Amino acid sequence: WTLLSALAAQTKRVRVGVLVTSNTFRNPAVLAKMAATVDHVSQGRLVLGMGAGWFELEHAAYGIPFSTMRGRAQRLDEGLEVMKLLFTQEKSTYTGKYYQLQDALFEPKTVQKPHPPILIGGQGPKLILPVIARHANIWHLRVREVNPEGIKQLSATFDAICRKVGRDPAEVERAVSLRSAQLTEPAEEMRDQIQAFADVGIRHFVISLSPAERKLL
């Protein structure tokens, strides 16, 4: 997030964000303040990427508590509730199992209203997809060997979950990451591939660079 703020200050048009921030790493109220600062530095270009956390070894290495998948999903759900309250209310009070607020002030508010778009990564149908359906503006899918047919099947499951929680599925933009190697194909094949993703509802593409390619930037 420190580097993200520096990048935001050195750019003008590109949107900035993390794919994704583990909710387990910080208290959501602290992260909300960090996000608001980056949104101001970038003049409203932040995408707030969030995830439940998955890399147990990383947590063990730094002494960060690592719960069950259910516990991490519940923490993410509450954490997003906390952040959205702080972004939109003059004073926020919240009593959850994991997080609490008591007449919490939050100023300045973010540049983007009601808050920066929330991108959530994940695809577990029982635990994570309901959280995404409730809170996300953008859903980042990670389908093995990303392919349109897999996305189509997963999207149908997600749409049903959205309706169950009272959310219009069309409100959630779908996103995938493409490896840079996929972009070296002939232009016509590349257009066909992008169109195939668009045909199953993908509107947001993230290009993933290899370590070697990042060194060239």
Side-chain angles (χ1 to χ4, degrees):
W1 277 88
T2 306
L3 178 59
L4 194 62
S5 187
L7 291 171
Q10 295 297 317
T11 55
K12 299 296 183 184
R13 293 184 300 170
V14 65
R15 297 191 69 83
V16 296
V18 178
L19 189 67
V20 290
T21 290
S22 175
N23 179 69
T24 58
F25 291 167
R26 302 172 183 86
N27 181 287
V30 174
L31 182 57
K33 290 296 294 183
M34 295 165 60
T37 297
V38 174
D39 202 43
H40 277 270
V41 171
S42 67
Q43 297 181 330
R45 289 181 285 122
L46 174 67
V47 175
L48 179 54
M50 297 292 298
W54 65 275
F55 193 21
E56 185 173 5
L57 179 60
E58 186 175 38
H59 290 73
Y62 293 102
I64 300 171
F66 188 77
S67 180
T68 62
M69 185 65 250
R70 180 175 298 277
R72 282 175 278 135
Q74 291 173 342
R75 283 175 170 83
L76 177 61
D77 194 20
E78 285 195 12
L80 289 165
E81 291 280 4
V82 164
M83 296 178 76
K84 289 162 72 175
L85 280 173
L86 292 170
F87 288 146
T88 58
Q89 305 298 313
E90 182 178 354
K91 290 185 179 181
S92 299
T93 295
Y94 181 83
T95 303
K97 181 178 180 180
Y98 303 103
Y99 305 115
Q100 295 79 41
L101 299 172
Q102 182 61 49
D103 292 331
L105 295 169
F106 189 90
E107 294 292 344
K109 302 297 186 189
T110 57
V111 174
Q112 299 178 85
K113 305 299 181 188
H115 50 70
I118 296 171
L119 179 152
I120 306 178
Q123 60 191 54
K126 293 183 179 180
L127 299 175
I128 293 298
L129 287 187
V131 176
I132 297 172
R134 284 190 288 272
H135 299 293
N137 303 106
I138 306 169
W139 170 32
H140 186 269
L141 300 84
R142 292 196 63 181
V143 179
R144 185 182 297 276
E145 299 303 326
V146 176
N147 64 86
E149 185 57 35
I151 290 171
K152 184 178 180 180
Q153 295 175 7
L154 191 57
S155 285
T157 299
F158 179 70
D159 290 350
I161 293 172
C162 282
R163 297 186 186 98
K164 186 175 181 179
V165 302
R167 186 94 184 272
D168 181 354
E171 295 178 8
V172 186
E173 186 177 29
R174 317 297 164 94
V176 296
S177 291
L178 296 178
R179 298 185 305 276
S180 56
Q182 294 174 278
L183 303 180
T184 61
E185 300 172 1
E188 185 174 345
E189 292 181 20
M190 192 64 231
R191 283 194 295 269
D192 290 343
Q193 186 179 60
I194 295 295
Q195 186 61 56
F197 284 123
D199 289 343
V200 293
I202 300 300
R203 295 292 182 268
H204 189 120
F205 294 89
V206 180
I207 308 304
S208 298
L209 301 179
S210 69
E213 290 166 326
R214 290 197 291 269
K215 289 181 180 179
L216 298 176
L217 296 178

